């Protein structure tokens, strides 16, 4: 017993010294703390995040109540780590809207205190970013499961927003904001009509979607028989059918990456890339920067989880990584203290000074 204790004590001391030595002996000028990152994995093997959603019509994460100065500072923080694309995740949800739309106000929506569409476009102009406008979400899809309800209001919304804001140099495209998975009722027809409508209005500006993968984390809490989630083969078959019906008017697909486990990433990502290539679409990843594994919804993600997802996207040859979403879950001025730490770890990993 004494020999075993002695052995464990010796091993523990040796291991501690091995970990501590590189940190203490690797000082570097330019770091405010004088220390280099103690990462023990190769740096920068993931796909750099170059886009983020802007979520100011939230129903499941807290509003941060920022004004123009806070948003200006946040765009500067985004720019500092290489973000070149911002996407308004939705321009309105049910009765809350981001801009004083005459059409939506006439339908009973509430008057916003700020015109966030104008603010975001002005800041995107300033920081030389591309802005994607997210369509209006009436909420009827979530109540009924039928996407076709979203068509009526967005026919008016897209025309109004293009006539009002289309002059901005940063207005770079459209986000069809209705999130789906698998064979949602009316999805092919609705995506096609919305994509076509946006392109006709704007002279062909690009459109994209961000559906979820119906993996094991998507079906938690549902019927026990469904808890395994969709198979890779079934995912490929169903999305092959959807892509076949929308690829001429939808330019990119950014699947949400948080509903599958980390050891499933390569299998699903390979399929996503293969389908996108087959139909001439861009393959993006929506690298969620919030943690779906925690009992509290929703907190900033553990850095290693984000790193593994970005590394899988790089291995599978993805074209772009965007995140949901920087301002709450990665920003150094977020209401969540952990978000600023994630920002620091991300910068260390990609060696962003």
């Amino acid at each position: 017993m004494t020999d075993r204790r002695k052995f464990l004590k010796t091993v523990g001391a040796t291991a501690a010294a091995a970990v501590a030595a590189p940190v203490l002996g690797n000082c570097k000028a330019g770091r405010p703390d004088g220390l280099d990152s103690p990462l023990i994995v190769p740096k920068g093997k993931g796909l750099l995040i170059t886009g983020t959603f802007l979520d100011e019509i939230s129903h499941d994460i807290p509003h941060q109540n920022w004004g123009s100065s806070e948003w200006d500072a946040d765009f500067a923080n985004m720019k500092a780590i290489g973000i070149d694309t911002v996407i308004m995740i939705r321009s309105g949800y049910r009765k809350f809207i981001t801009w004083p739309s005459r059409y939506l106000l006439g339908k009973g929506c509430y008057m916003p205190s700020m015109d966030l569409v104008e603010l975001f476009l002005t800041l995107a102009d300033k920081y030389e970013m591309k802005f994607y406008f997210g369509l209006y979400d009436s909420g009827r899809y979530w109540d009924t499961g039928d996407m076709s309800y979203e068509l009526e209001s967005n026919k008016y919304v897209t025309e109004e927003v293009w006539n009002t804001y289309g002059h901005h140099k940063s207005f770079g495209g459209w986000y069809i904001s209705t999130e789906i998975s698998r064979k949602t009722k009316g999805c092919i027809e609705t995506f096609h009509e919305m994509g076509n409508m946006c392109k006709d209005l704007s002279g062909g500006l690009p459109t994209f979607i961000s559906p979820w993968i119906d993996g094991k984390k998507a079906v938690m809490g549902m019927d026990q028989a469904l808890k395994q989630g969709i198979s890779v083969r079934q995912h490929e078959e169903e999305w092959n059918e959807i892509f076949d019906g929308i690829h001429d008017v939808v330019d990119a697909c950014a699947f949400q990456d948080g509903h599958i486990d980390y050891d499933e990433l390569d299998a699903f990502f390979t399929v996503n890339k293969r389908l996108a290539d087959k139909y001439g679409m861009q393959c993006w990843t929506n690298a969620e920067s919030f943690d779906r594994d925690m009992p509290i919804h929703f907190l900033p993600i553990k850095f290693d989880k984000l790193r593994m997802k970005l590394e899988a996207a790089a291995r599978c040859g993805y074209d772009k990584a965007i995140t949901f979403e920087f301002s709450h879950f990665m920003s150094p001025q977020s209401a969540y203290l952990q978000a600023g730490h994630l920002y620091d770890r991300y910068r260390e990993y990609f060696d962003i000074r």
Side-chain angles (χ1 to χ4, degrees):
M1 181 63 72
T2 305
D3 290 343
R4 180 174 175 272
R5 284 178 180 163
K6 229 181 248 186
F7 170 76
L8 292 174
K9 188 175 179 182
T10 304
V11 169
T14 305
V19 171
V23 179
L24 297 174
N26 216 358
C27 296
K28 205 166 198 179
R31 278 288 301 269
D33 56 12
L35 300 176
D36 195 11
S37 168
L39 290 179
I40 59 173
V41 296
K43 286 186 176 183
K45 295 295 184 181
L47 187 61
L48 193 73
I49 293 172
T50 55
T52 181
F53 285 104
L54 305 171
D55 188 6
E56 276 305 284
I57 297 292
S58 296
H59 64 279
D60 54 7
I61 54 176
H63 204 288
Q64 300 197 102
N65 295 307
W66 287 354
S68 55
S69 60
E70 289 91 349
W71 276 113
D72 194 336
D74 220 45
F75 271 65
N77 289 328
M78 296 173 198
K79 184 77 172 180
I81 61 167
I83 288 177
D84 58 21
T85 305
V86 290
I87 307 116
M88 175 174 278
I89 194 165
R90 57 185 73 84
S91 54
Y93 179 61
R94 299 188 189 269
K95 290 190 175 184
F96 283 96
I97 55 178
T98 57
W99 56 294
S101 163
R102 293 179 62 184
Y103 171 77
L104 293 174
L105 289 171
K107 292 292 183 179
C109 289
Y110 305 134
M111 181 71 178
S113 57
M114 295 178 65
D115 184 342
L116 288 171
V117 177
E118 178 62 37
L119 175 62
F120 291 158
L121 279 161
T122 299
L123 291 172
D125 290 345
K126 175 181 177 179
Y127 290 99
E128 299 182 323
M129 296 177 179
K130 184 178 290 186
F131 173 88
Y132 281 75
F133 179 85
L135 305 190
Y136 172 68
D137 185 344
S138 71
R140 295 180 71 184
Y141 158 66
W142 299 106
D143 296 336
T144 66
D146 187 345
M147 271 188 72
S148 62
Y149 286 120
E150 303 308 318
L151 275 172
E152 181 184 355
S153 54
N154 277 298
K155 288 176 182 176
Y156 297 97
V157 166
T158 51
E159 184 173 1
E160 185 181 354
V161 80
W162 180 250
N163 290 337
T164 307
Y165 305 105
H167 64 279
H168 279 274
K169 66 178 181 179
S170 59
F171 200 122
W174 307 86
Y175 171 54
I176 303 173
S177 59
T178 309
E179 298 175 22
I180 72 162
S181 177
R182 307 173 67 175
K183 293 183 178 180
T184 301
K185 183 179 178 182
C187 68
I188 295 175
E189 297 79 9
T190 305
F191 275 155
H192 195 277
E193 192 163 346
M194 283 183 173
N196 195 50
M197 182 171 62
C198 292
K199 285 183 170 293
D200 282 350
L201 269 174
S202 60
L205 286 182
T207 65
F208 84 97
I209 59 174
S210 186
W212 75 84
I213 299 168
D214 216 10
K216 61 181 69 173
K217 297 181 190 179
V219 297
M220 285 178 180
M222 295 183 182
D223 185 89
Q224 189 65 34
L226 299 174
K227 282 196 173 183
Q228 292 303 310
I230 196 171
S231 69
V232 176
R233 177 179 293 181
Q234 190 176 2
H235 172 76
E236 183 166 17
E237 289 173 356
E238 294 182 355
W239 279 97
N240 180 70
E241 181 183 348
I242 295 171
F243 279 11
D244 183 56
I246 66 172
H247 69 276
D248 57 325
V249 292
V250 175
D251 300 280
C253 180
F255 279 104
Q256 300 167 27
D257 68 3
H259 289 105
I260 54 176
D261 221 338
Y262 304 98
D263 55 7
E264 299 177 305
L265 290 167
D266 284 85
F268 279 96
F269 281 17
T270 298
V271 163
N272 296 342
K273 177 61 174 167
R274 181 162 64 238
L275 287 174
D277 288 349
K278 176 180 178 180
Y279 289 103
M281 298 168 67
Q282 288 275 299
C283 188
W284 298 1
T285 187
N286 180 355
E288 294 177 342
S289 43
F290 65 94
D291 203 329
R292 289 190 181 272
D293 304 326
M294 299 290 291
I296 303 171
H297 296 163
F298 291 102
L299 298 174
I301 199 169
K302 176 182 172 68
F303 168 70
D304 277 328
K305 295 177 179 180
L306 180 61
R307 174 184 62 81
M308 287 190 289
K309 295 191 296 184
L310 294 174
E311 288 173 351
R315 283 194 299 272
C316 295
Y318 272 37
D319 300 298
K320 189 177 182 71
I322 62 175
T323 188
F324 182 86
E325 49 84 40
F326 177 88
S327 298
H328 281 89
F329 304 117
M330 288 188 72
S331 171
Q333 64 173 14
S334 167
Y336 296 115
L337 180 65
Q338 308 97 315
H341 298 323
L342 181 59
Y343 185 79
D344 291 340
R345 302 294 79 73
Y346 180 88
R347 290 182 66 158
E348 287 172 354
Y349 174 71
F350 282 106
D351 205 21
I352 300 170
R353 302 292 174 174

